Amino acid sequence: HQTNAAQRRGPYERYRVVYCYGYDLGSDPRYRNVDWPTVEQAARPGWEERNPGTWEQFKETIQYAWDKARGQR
């Protein structure tokens, strides 16, 4: 969190659920070998269902965690 852009927007505690969502996506076998635009299209509705209107605010951090789970960062 300290090296991610999210750190500038708030403490880790605020972003914990965001990181978990992205990490879970990256660990999900359905999304391990696909590109981010494909994952984003599938993941956004689930996120927005629980967190209406916040995808744009958190998508960068979700992608960061997705990449981390896949060993990309």
Side-chain angles (χ1 to χ4, degrees), residues 28-51:
D28 188 321
R30 296 175 295 172
Y31 304 125
R32 291 215 33 97
N33 297 313
V34 297
D35 62 5
W36 174 248
T38 302
V39 173
E40 182 177 11
Q41 184 177 17
R44 183 177 185 156
W47 176 265
E48 288 282 347
E49 184 178 307
R50 290 179 295 243
N51 308 280

Side-chain angles (χ1 to χ4, degrees), residues 22-72:
Y23 196 88
D24 288 348
L25 290 171
S27 300
D28 188 321
R30 296 175 295 172
Y31 304 125
R32 291 215 33 97
N33 297 313
V34 297
D35 62 5
W36 174 248
T38 302
V39 173
E40 182 177 11
Q41 184 177 17
R44 183 177 185 156
W47 176 265
E48 288 282 347
E49 184 178 307
R50 290 179 295 243
N51 308 280
T54 63
W55 180 260
E56 290 302 318
Q57 178 183 358
F58 295 117
K59 75 177 181 178
E60 188 177 303
T61 304
I62 293 168
Q63 182 180 4
Y64 173 86
W66 173 75
D67 282 339
K68 280 292 256 190
R70 297 171 59 239
Q72 301 296 313

